Amino acid sequence: MITIEGEIRTFLCMFQYNAPLRAPRPSFNRSVNSFRFVLRRHSMFERILAVLLTLSCSVTLAQTDPTFRAETTAIALSAKPELDGKVRGDPVWEAETPISNFSQLRPENGEPASHLTEVYFGYTESALHIAFLCYEDDPSQIVVSSNGDLSDSVAIVLDTFLNGRTGFVFATNPNGPLWDGALSSGNTDWNWSTTWRVESRRTPFGWSTEMEIPFSSLRYGHDKVQTWGVNIARVTIADNEISYWSPVPAQFNMYRIDLAGRIHGIGVPAMNRSLRFTPYVRTGEVQSDFSDHDQGNDAGFDVKYSITSRLTLDATFNTDFAQVESDQLQVNLGRYALFFPETRPFFLENQALFTVGVPWQTQLFHSRRIGIAPNGQRLRIDGGVRVTGKIADQTNLGFLQMRSDSHASDDKSDFTVLRLSRDLKNRSSVGFLGSRRRDNLSTGDTWGINGSFGIGERTDIHTFVATTRSDAYSSDEHAFNVYVNHSSPTWKYQAWIHEVGKGFNPEVGFVSRRNMRTTGGVLRYTHAVDDFVGLKEWNQYYSVSMTRNLDGYLENGGLHLELWPVWDNGADGWVAVDFQYEEVRDPFPVAGVLIPPGKYNTKQFVLAGNLPNTHRIRGGAFLSNGGFYNGKLLNTNAFFSYQQDESLSFSVGYQHRRIGFPTLEKDVTVANGNVGFAYSFTPQSGIFGQLQRNRIDDIWSVNLRYRWQRNANSGLYIVYSYFGLGTDDDTLEHQEFVVKYSHAFDVLN
C-alpha cells in the first residue's frame, strides 16, 4: 500500500508540473485550490476521483465554444437520375448546385479539405438520391480496399428524427460496395442492413458515385416536409485525411450526430408497411469429438416487419449462424473471466439499444448467453422475436424473446429481455432493462436502471444501478457504476466508481469479477505540434485505478504513466511505465503454475508503436518487460496487414509471452498467433480465411469462408471450420463443412 500511495503522489506531482504547459485560466486555478481542500478530507483514492470530477466540471464551464453547423435545402429532383455512377453529364444533376466547402477533421482540424468534393443531395417521391464528385490531383493515388478502414471512401449520416442520438450511415468507395449501419448515442452498428443501391466509377478527375436510398428503407417522423441532421465525410488514404461537410471538433467524429449539419425541406412520403421474408437452406457435414451431431442439413427463416413507421419486428425460426467467423483465441493470464464479443448478425443488429453496464466488465445483457454454452459450444436456437424502435417521439423500446437448448439440461432455456429508454436533450437519456432466463432447473432475473447525461458539448456522465435474483446467490446481488468523461482538443478527463456485489449474477449478462469496488481516473493532455519532423501532437497520458474487495482489503491497484506522440501520417508511438499492486489470498493457476498467496508490487516498462496509415503495409508492435506476481514477464506482440491491391489483402498477428517463475527452472512460454487473408472477386463476393494457433493450450483453429452477398445479409455462403484441442492422450477435433443459401423476398415495400 505504501508503494502505491507513493506512486500516486508522484502522479499528482506530475500533473501539477505539466498543467502550466498551457496558459492557466482563473477557473482552472480555482479548481486546483478546491482540490487541495478535498485532498485533506478524503482517502487517497477518493482524492484522485474528486480531482478529476472537479476538473471535468470546471473546464467544461470554461470551454463551451459554439459549434458551426452547415445548412442547406434539399433539392426536389425533376426526374429520377440514372444510377450509373456517372454524375457529370447527367442532366438531372447538372441543373442543380452541389454542396462543397468541406473542412478537415484530420490531420489539420478546421482547415479546408485538400481535395475538392461536390455532393448533390436530392429526392424524388420514393427515394433519396445522393451523388458525389471526388476530385484528385493525381488519380493514381486513389487507394481502394474491401476493408472500409483502409480505403478511400465517402459516407453520409442521416439523423432522420433530428434527435441528435439515432440515425443511419451509408458509405461506399470507388468500387461501389455497400456499407450501411445504424447509429445510437455515438455507437455504430455495422450489422444493421437495409435495401439501397450504389454505383461508382473512376474518372479522369478522380472518382464519382451515386446512391439511391428508398424512403421505405428508413424510419422518420410524420411531417410531410422535414429537416434532418446530416453530415457527409470523405476519406483520402494517401493524405491520411478525413474531411466533413459540417465541421466537427478534433476529439469527435461524424458519428456524434448532435453536431451534424442541417438539410431542410426534405419531402417524404407517408410510411408504408414493409415485410421481408428471408428463408435459408443449409447442407453439410459435421464430424466432432465434442458433440453427437454428424450432419449440417437444416432450414429456417427470418422475418422483418414494420409494425409502425418507427417500430420493427424481427422474427427468426431455427436460427443459423454457419457463416459467422470463429472467435478470436484468447489466453487468460489473470484470475478473472475473459470477455468474448458477440459475432452473430441477428444479435448484433440493434445491440446498442440493449447495452447497459461497463463494457467488457459488467454487462446486464450479453447475447452470447443465448445459444452458446460456457465452454463456447454452440447450442441449437429454436427461434425467437425481437421488437425495436420508438413507441413515441422520444421513447425507445427493445424486446427480445428467444428459446434455445440448455447447456445445463436436456430441456430448453427461455430468454426474455425488455429495454425501455427515454431520450432527453443534449445527448441525455434514462432507461430500464430487465431480463429473465428460465429452464427446468433454475430461473434468473436482472433489473437495472441507467442514465446518460450530456453537459455542454464535451462532458458526459453515464451511470447504472442493477440487482439480480438467481438460485445461485441469495445476498449482495447488486451492482452500480458512475462514469464521467470530458473531452476537449487539449484535455481529456475520465473518472469512475464501479461496484459489483458478491451475489450479482445477471444470467443473461456478463460479469468479469464480483465482490469488488473499483475507483479510477484518466488524465490526458494533448499538445499540438507545428512543423517538427511531421509530428502532429504530443500526448501525456496518466491513469490510476484501485480495486478493493468488499471484505475491506485492497485487491489490486495500478498507475500508468505514458508519453504518446502522433504524426500527421497516422503513425504513433508510446513509451510507458505501469506500477501494479496485487494481493492474492486464494491461490490460482496461470499457464499451469499456481500463484501463491501474497502481496506483489511490480513494474512493467512498455514500448510500442504503429506504422503510418498511408502505406499499403500497416502494423504495429508492443513490447513490455517487468514483474508479474512472483515472477517476471516479457510480452511481445506484433501485427501487420498488407493490401496488395483493391482485391487482395493479408494480415498476421503474433503474441509471445515468456514468464519466469521462481519455482521453475525453465520459463513458461505462452504464444498465440493468427494469419488471415481476404480476396474480393467483386464488392459483393469474396473468399476469407483465418488460421489461429494457441500454443499453451495446444489449440488449432481454421476458418475458410466464401461469401456472395446479395443484400441485407442474404446470399450464398460456403464455410469450412476446424477446431483441434490437444490433450494428454489424443487430439479432440471438430470439423464442419457447410453450404448455406438465403434469399430476401420483399413481400411488402
Side-chain angles (χ1 to χ4, degrees):
M1 185 66 180
I2 295 176
T3 302
I4 289 294
E5 289 200 3
E7 300 303 343
I8 294 176
R9 294 181 189 276
T10 303
F11 162 77
L12 287 174
C13 292
M14 288 188 173
F15 167 73
Q16 293 172 351
Y17 174 80
N18 285 300
L21 286 175
R22 62 177 298 167
R25 301 187 178 190
S27 60
F28 182 86
N29 293 333
R30 286 196 297 269
S31 298
V32 172
N33 290 332
S34 68
F35 301 158
R36 292 169 179 163
F37 171 77
V38 172
L39 290 173
R40 292 193 297 266
R41 295 293 304 271
H42 294 80
S43 68
M44 179 60 68
F45 214 41
E46 291 170 331
R47 296 171 190 175
I48 299 297
L49 179 62
V51 166
L52 293 172
L53 289 172
T54 310
L55 272 173
S56 291
C57 296
S58 63
V59 175
T60 298
L61 294 175
Q63 299 178 340
T64 52
D65 303 324
T67 299
F68 168 77
R69 295 181 188 274
E71 293 190 77
T72 191
T73 300
I75 303 166
L77 300 177
S78 58
K80 179 179 177 180
E82 183 178 357
L83 190 73
D84 57 6
K86 186 179 179 181
V87 181
R88 280 185 172 180
D90 189 319
V92 175
W93 295 126
E94 288 191 335
E96 309 297 345
T97 301
I99 296 168
S100 56
N101 298 322
F102 280 52
S103 62
Q104 296 181 39
L105 174 74
R106 73 177 195 206
E108 300 295 335
N109 184 251
E111 295 297 316
S114 301
H115 306 278
L116 175 64
T117 305
E118 295 181 337
V119 182
Y120 297 86
F121 187 99
Y123 65 91
T124 60
E125 292 183 355
S126 60
L128 289 177
H129 296 269
I130 304 110
F132 296 79
L133 290 171
C134 300
Y135 292 86
E136 287 279 355
D137 297 331
D138 182 2
S140 66
Q141 295 297 307
I142 295 174
V143 178
V144 181
S145 169
S146 58
N147 184 336
D149 295 330
L150 306 178
S151 179
D152 284 23
S153 60
V154 292
I156 183 167
V157 297
L158 306 174
D159 179 3
T160 56
F161 288 102
L162 201 62
N163 59 15
R165 295 183 60 84
T166 59
F168 309 96
V169 57
F170 300 89
T172 190
N173 71 18
N175 277 359
L178 289 82
W179 299 315
D180 48 19
L183 303 175
S184 177
S185 302
N187 299 310
T188 308
D189 174 13
W190 290 106
N191 295 279
W192 177 86
S193 186
T194 193
T195 300
W196 61 294
R197 296 196 299 159
V198 67
E199 289 291 337
S200 299
R201 67 169 56 196
R202 303 289 185 95
T203 67
F205 62 81
W207 62 285
S208 60
T209 190
E210 291 180 286
M211 298 179 179
E212 180 183 325
I213 306 172
F215 285 114
S216 60
S217 297
L218 302 171
R219 296 291 177 263
Y220 43 81
H222 300 293
D223 295 339
K224 292 184 178 179
V225 179
Q226 302 185 6
T227 296
W228 289 358
V230 176
N231 211 345
I232 306 168
R234 179 179 174 189
V235 176
T236 53
I237 295 297
D239 301 317
N240 190 39
E241 182 174 310
I242 301 176
S243 58
Y244 291 160
W245 169 57
S246 187
V248 172
Q251 70 272 27
F252 303 126
N253 56 40
M254 70 186 299
Y255 304 132
R256 266 287 300 266
I257 52 178
D258 61 304
L259 303 177
R262 298 287 185 265
I263 294 187
H264 307 282
I266 302 174
V268 299
M271 289 292 299
N272 295 320
R273 300 288 176 87
S274 63
L275 173 64
R276 174 178 293 159
F277 177 66
T278 308
Y280 80 84
V281 292
R282 187 190 71 186
T283 186
E285 292 291 333
V286 178
Q287 298 179 354
S288 178
D289 296 323
F290 300 93
S291 65
D292 297 331
H293 299 292
D294 59 358
Q295 62 179 0
N297 301 324
D298 220 335
F301 61 82
D302 294 335
V303 174
K304 185 179 287 289
Y305 175 65
S306 58
I307 302 173
T308 69
S309 62
R310 297 183 285 184
L311 201 62
T312 301
L313 167 70
D314 290 281
T316 179
F317 172 74
N318 202 15
T319 315
D320 178 76
F321 303 109
Q323 73 274 24
V324 175
E325 64 183 272
S326 303
D327 287 327
Q328 292 292 323
L329 297 180
Q330 300 185 51
V331 178
N332 194 345
L333 293 185
R335 40 182 166 160
Y336 311 113
L338 293 176
F339 179 86
F340 286 86
E342 179 62 85
T343 58
R344 299 168 295 175
F346 181 85
F347 294 110
L348 285 170
E349 186 174 351
N350 293 304
Q351 184 183 57
L353 176 61
F354 294 93
T355 300
V356 178
V358 180
W360 298 69
Q361 297 181 46
T362 306
Q363 296 185 188
L364 304 194
F365 172 66
H366 185 39
S367 54
R368 281 182 64 101
R369 299 297 295 271
I370 304 172
I372 298 180
N375 64 0
Q377 179 185 349
R378 293 186 180 181
L379 306 172
R380 179 185 177 89
I381 298 178
D382 294 342
V385 296
R386 180 182 62 216
V387 178
T388 54
K390 290 184 176 293
I391 54 178
D393 286 344
Q394 302 298 324
T395 303
N396 307 294
L397 167 69
F399 174 78
L400 180 70
Q401 178 71 48
M402 302 292 295
R403 169 170 284 191
S404 77
D405 286 353
S406 173
H407 72 271
S409 69
D410 294 331
D411 195 25
K412 300 292 185 178
S413 290
D414 291 308
F415 302 85
T416 306
V417 185
L418 174 65
R419 172 70 167 145
L420 291 168
S421 67
R422 176 76 175 177
D423 295 336
L424 306 174
K425 293 182 178 180
N426 197 32
R427 309 185 312 280
S428 301
S429 66
V430 293
F432 162 83
L433 186 141
S435 69
R436 165 170 289 185
R437 184 206 58 80
R438 170 181 286 181
D439 58 26
N440 65 337
L441 297 179
S442 63
T443 299
D445 296 321
T446 301
W447 303 275
I449 57 175
N450 74 298
S452 296
F453 307 98
I455 303 174
E457 261 188 19
R458 300 177 177 179
T459 301
D460 297 276
I461 300 175
H462 304 279
T463 183
F464 81 87
V465 179
T467 186
T468 61
R469 183 180 64 192
S470 67
D471 297 336
Y473 299 91
S474 59
S475 63
D476 290 337
E477 299 176 285
H478 73 280
F480 71 85
N481 181 72
V482 180
Y483 171 82
V484 180
N485 177 69
H486 170 83
S487 295
S488 77
T490 305
W491 292 98
K492 184 179 183 69
Y493 309 105
Q494 297 171 330
W496 61 87
I497 181 169
H498 178 207
E499 180 171 308
V500 180
K502 297 179 182 179
F504 186 71
N505 185 37
E507 296 210 19
V508 200
F510 174 81
V511 176
S512 175
R513 57 193 295 191
R514 298 179 175 87
N515 190 23
M516 66 88 181
R517 180 188 298 118
T518 295
T519 316
V522 167
L523 170 64
R524 172 178 158 187
Y525 174 77
T526 299
H527 176 70
V529 179
D530 293 326
D531 299 325
F532 179 70
V533 296
L535 198 63
K536 174 187 176 184
E537 63 189 32
W538 182 271
N539 298 278
Q540 299 170 61
Y541 184 94
Y542 312 103
S543 68
V544 59
S545 66
M546 284 191 177
T547 301
R548 289 189 177 275
N549 187 285
L550 296 183
D551 294 331
Y553 70 91
L554 181 65
E555 195 167 89
N556 55 25
L559 176 70
H560 178 83
L561 312 176
E562 179 180 311
L563 297 178
W564 174 23
V566 179
W567 281 264
D568 284 334
N569 59 12
D572 68 344
W574 62 97
V575 59
V577 59
D578 287 311
F579 299 90
Q580 294 289 333
Y581 170 84
E582 297 275 353
E583 181 171 346
V584 178
R585 294 197 172 183
D586 298 311
F588 67 96
V590 168
V593 178
L594 206 62
I595 303 297
K599 297 180 180 181
Y600 304 102
N601 287 293
T602 60
K603 285 186 290 187
Q604 284 273 340
F605 297 93
V606 180
L607 181 64
N610 294 301
L611 294 175
N613 293 329
T614 55
H615 297 169
R616 291 188 180 274
I617 298 178
R618 293 189 177 186
F622 174 95
L623 171 67
S624 67
N625 188 28
F628 180 76
Y629 294 104
N630 61 331
K632 298 290 184 181
L633 171 64
L634 175 63
N635 184 3
T636 56
N637 190 352
F639 60 94
F640 295 94
S641 65
Y642 175 68
Q643 183 74 36
Q644 171 65 32
D645 51 35
E646 59 194 48
S647 300
L648 182 63
S649 63
F650 296 93
S651 64
V652 60
Y654 183 72
Q655 184 174 33
H656 184 278
R657 287 172 282 188
R658 192 178 68 198
I659 310 172
F661 289 109
T663 57
L664 299 180
E665 295 182 0
K666 186 178 180 180
D667 292 347
V668 176
T669 298
V670 179
N672 57 293
N674 64 81
V675 177
F677 75 91
Y679 183 82
S680 299
F681 302 104
T682 70
Q684 289 75 39
S685 67
I687 184 169
F688 311 88
Q690 184 181 56
L691 167 67
Q692 298 185 77
R693 168 65 167 157
N694 176 348
R695 179 176 170 183
I696 188 70
D697 296 319
D698 195 13
I699 294 175
W700 285 93
S701 173
V702 178
N703 185 252
L704 296 172
R705 294 176 297 127
Y706 169 79
R707 181 191 69 194
W708 174 52
Q709 190 168 349
R710 295 176 60 89
N711 56 53
N713 292 321
S714 64
L716 174 66
Y717 299 89
I718 303 174
V719 182
Y720 171 77
S721 299
Y722 170 86
F723 179 85
L725 172 63
T727 66
D728 293 337
D729 300 324
D730 200 356
T731 298
L732 301 178
E733 296 181 318
H734 176 95
Q735 296 189 73
E736 185 172 349
F737 178 78
V738 174
V739 179
K740 176 182 176 180
Y741 180 75
S742 60
H743 186 85
F745 297 92
D746 287 320
V747 182
L748 296 175
N749 200 348

